[in-house]
Amino acid sequence: MLTWPLASTAIVVLTVALSLAWYERSRPTPRLVALVATMAALAVVGRIAFAPIPNVKPTTDLILLAGLAFGAVPGFAVGATTALVSNLFFGQGIHTPWQMLAWGGVGLLGALVGRALGERPGRWPIAAICAFAGLAFGAFMDFSLWATVGGQHTLAEYWAISVRGLPFNLAHAAGNAAFALAFAPVVLAALARARARAQVTIVPLAGDSPPVATRTAAPAGGALAAVLAAIVVAVALATPGRAQAAETPVDYLLAHQTASGGFGDTGSADTLASGWAAMALGASPGVPVKAKDKAIGFLRASGKGASDPADIQRIILGLSALRAKPTDSTGRDLVKVLLKAQQADGSWSGLVNQTAFGILALRSAGRSAKSKPVKRAASYLLGKAGTDGGFSFSGKGNSGIDDTAGAVQGLAAAGRTGAKVTRRAVSFIVAQQHADGGFPLGSEARSNAQSTAWATQALISVGEDPKAIRAGDGNTPISFLKSLRVDDGHIRYSRTSDQTPVWATAQAQLALVGSPLPVIRAKRSAEERAAVKMAEERKAERAAAKRRAKRVTRRNAERTVQAGSFSDRVLAPAAAGVMLLAGFFGLQ
């Protein structure tokens, strides 16, 4: 059966393939292949270098300028190569061909601009065009999400995705404009010189016969050569060293903890991976206290000013897993912020996924399953189950493993383990197991680590033993996850993809140690117990010092009162008597 995700992605892949074939048929010269590879490598490095700033990167500008300087075919090649190579760092997936087409389109847009405005547009026009390219890229990627994620594929769903992604798209446009104003004229001048040097014209001397027109073409496979060259250059520029080899998932996570205390795949931390890494470390024994303290600091700093419910929920879960109070770096109570965002129907943002996480966050922070906010959220979830027993992201459309597993954990945390809806959802999950023991994101997809981890956590949350859920030759979810573990300790996303390794490893680790959400915290190590004991002793010392200070203050006050009483009872009457006697003798 041809589905929306399969059909749309197939069309995109075919379009990209035809466009690259167009590049091959143009027989680019070796120098042009080198220029394409160099520009793609610079765009990749730009994406990596600015990874900590969401959507603010010079990548789109560089691709557009390449198209403007070199033309449509090389411009598309730069864009497509950039997406393919940069995702070797950020993780490949179904989004890769969509990004290849989107950035390839930006290269084509650059060529159109060159024809319309000439080779040297002014600084401000090119900044405006780069900003437009950022908005167009974002709109196209929003469309890709709408096309590849299960749902009814209605205009309303696309509008909801677009509204949610609008802040990121505006940041992309603003960043593009700023970068263009800063360096576009200089880059265009450099590219013009490079293009001129790549063009060789043979002029015959007087009296000589005209030479036979020749053209040194790149060997067949020019696109592949550009990709390989871009990979070599990008890796050389962007990877100063390899992470220290590790043996376990926890070792791998700790090796990817940054100086800020967060976690990330490219040497810079991001809040999503950091939240999941914090949960995994909280559930795992033997984690150094210093690493946990650094992670707590990062999460609290990330919570400062946070308003999106999904971010706040993840931060609360991470802090609670590390036995820290759910407050940000200013002391703001994140639980109160989360409660304020709960809607009248009990949901957060009208989404199944966020509502399930809302329950999990509140329960991790100590709220009772019988508390009103938790009960309201659970009632919302109970009404959003699909006819097949599963759940979808928004409560409408095709059910999926991830959203169903999240809802099951939310309902279990709310005390609804025995509810009919919960049991049907568990049956839905078990029915999706593949012969390799793993679980897919969608019914037609391959097994992957994160969906398998979700399913495992859901089973544990309702009291099921995931090792008893077998398929094929006795394969279990746990055996599937272990089969994806590689030498450095991390867990691959799937047999064919290694995208988002920190996030995938963190979530898989939770399943491997048998912890659903909220996290079942590991027993404290001897180091942690010593640190806790020292902290308690210091707290007791501070309390004793306060009590001593109060006693001294009270004693001084009593002495002052006593001194005052003596003067009132003895000295004042005596003075009055002396004055009376003096008056009497004076009258005499």
Side-chain angles (χ1 to χ4, degrees), residues 37 39-51 57-60 63 77-93 95-100 103 137 141 226-235 238-239 265-266 498-501:
M39 286 303 297
L42 289 175
V44 170
V45 172
R47 187 181 180 193
I48 295 171
F50 287 85
K57 298 166 182 65
T59 305
T60 302
I63 295 168
V78 170
T81 303
T82 297
L84 180 62
V85 175
S86 63
N87 282 346
L88 295 176
F89 297 88
F90 291 95
Q92 303 287 355
H95 59 282
T96 297
W98 291 87
Q99 287 180 334
M100 291 176 70
W103 267 321
F137 179 90
M141 293 310 297
V227 171
L228 293 177
I231 291 174
V232 171
V233 176
V235 170
T239 311
D265 297 319
T266 61
D498 201 13
Q499 65 190 51
T500 58

Side-chain angles (χ1 to χ4, degrees), residues 23-264:
Y23 174 66
E24 285 289 335
R25 287 183 62 84
S26 69
R27 304 290 287 173
T29 65
R31 291 184 179 183
L32 183 57
V33 171
L35 288 175
V36 167
T38 301
M39 286 303 297
L42 289 175
V44 170
V45 172
R47 187 181 180 193
I48 295 171
F50 287 85
I53 309 176
N55 269 33
V56 179
K57 298 166 182 65
T59 305
T60 302
D61 285 15
L62 290 170
I63 295 168
L64 189 141
L65 296 177
L68 194 155
F70 301 148
V73 180
F76 185 93
V78 170
T81 303
T82 297
L84 180 62
V85 175
S86 63
N87 282 346
L88 295 176
F89 297 88
F90 291 95
Q92 303 287 355
I94 195 173
H95 59 282
T96 297
W98 291 87
Q99 287 180 334
M100 291 176 70
L101 183 57
W103 267 321
V106 170
L108 295 178
L109 174 62
L112 293 175
V113 171
R115 288 195 175 188
L117 302 181
E119 296 180 355
R120 299 288 183 89
R123 188 185 298 268
W124 288 99
I126 197 65
I129 293 167
C130 287
F132 169 77
L135 293 174
F137 179 90
F140 184 78
M141 293 310 297
D142 289 341
F143 175 80
S144 75
L145 184 62
W146 175 80
T148 57
V149 175
Q152 298 297 320
H153 300 101
T154 62
L155 184 60
E157 287 184 352
Y158 176 75
W159 177 249
I161 293 172
S162 298
V163 170
R164 183 174 178 80
L166 183 60
F168 298 96
N169 295 339
L170 290 176
H172 191 181
N176 287 357
F179 284 123
L181 290 173
F183 65 68
V186 176
V187 172
L188 280 175
L191 294 180
R193 288 195 299 271
R195 184 190 59 198
R197 291 172 182 174
Q199 295 174 343
V200 179
T201 303
I202 301 175
V203 180
L205 296 175
D208 290 344
S209 58
V212 178
T214 61
R215 182 168 181 254
T216 305
L224 178 59
V227 171
L228 293 177
I231 291 174
V232 171
V233 176
V235 170
L237 292 174
T239 311
R242 296 177 63 88
Q244 183 178 358
E247 296 180 354
T248 69
V250 170
D251 290 334
Y252 180 83
L253 293 176
L254 292 177
H256 285 75
Q257 187 174 31
T258 67
S260 66
F263 299 80

Side-chain angles (χ1 to χ4, degrees), residues 250-441:
V250 170
D251 290 334
Y252 180 83
L253 293 176
L254 292 177
H256 285 75
Q257 187 174 31
T258 67
S260 66
F263 299 80
D265 297 319
T266 61
S268 57
D270 67 82
T271 55
L272 190 150
S274 298
W276 281 101
M279 293 181 228
L281 295 183
S284 304
V287 177
V289 174
K290 184 177 180 180
K292 290 185 177 182
D293 289 342
K294 288 174 61 179
I296 291 170
F298 178 85
L299 291 178
R300 283 184 167 156
S302 300
K304 182 180 179 181
S307 59
D308 183 74
D311 292 336
I312 294 172
Q313 291 161 358
R314 191 167 50 251
I315 292 171
I316 291 174
L317 283 164
L319 289 172
S320 298
L322 297 174
R323 303 178 188 271
K325 292 182 179 180
T327 58
D328 66 11
S329 57
T330 66
R332 183 178 62 149
D333 189 338
L334 296 177
V335 173
K336 290 183 179 179
V337 178
L338 181 61
L339 289 172
K340 189 176 180 180
Q342 189 175 23
Q343 297 182 356
D345 60 1
S347 74
W348 277 271
S349 305
L351 299 172
V352 167
N353 180 273
Q354 281 195 21
T355 304
F357 265 86
I359 294 174
L360 297 171
L362 292 177
R363 294 287 287 121
S364 74
R367 292 300 176 107
S368 167
K370 296 182 180 180
S371 64
K372 187 175 180 181
V374 172
K375 291 174 68 175
R376 288 171 56 216
S379 296
Y380 174 86
L381 287 181
L382 290 171
K384 292 298 179 179
T387 56
D388 56 4
F391 289 81
S392 63
F393 183 78
S394 63
K396 300 177 181 179
N398 299 328
S399 300
I401 289 293
D402 293 19
D403 297 313
T404 303
V408 167
Q409 291 178 81
L411 290 171
R416 303 300 183 92
T417 302
K420 183 179 179 181
V421 171
T422 307
R423 303 313 304 182
R424 289 188 68 226
V426 171
S427 298
F428 171 85
I429 292 173
V430 173
Q432 306 303 313
Q433 188 179 27
H434 284 178
D436 57 12
F439 290 83
L441 178 62

Side-chain angles (χ1 to χ4, degrees), residues 443-454:
S443 59
E444 298 180 7
R446 294 181 178 181
S447 300
N448 70 79
Q450 288 179 285
S451 296
T452 302
W454 269 119

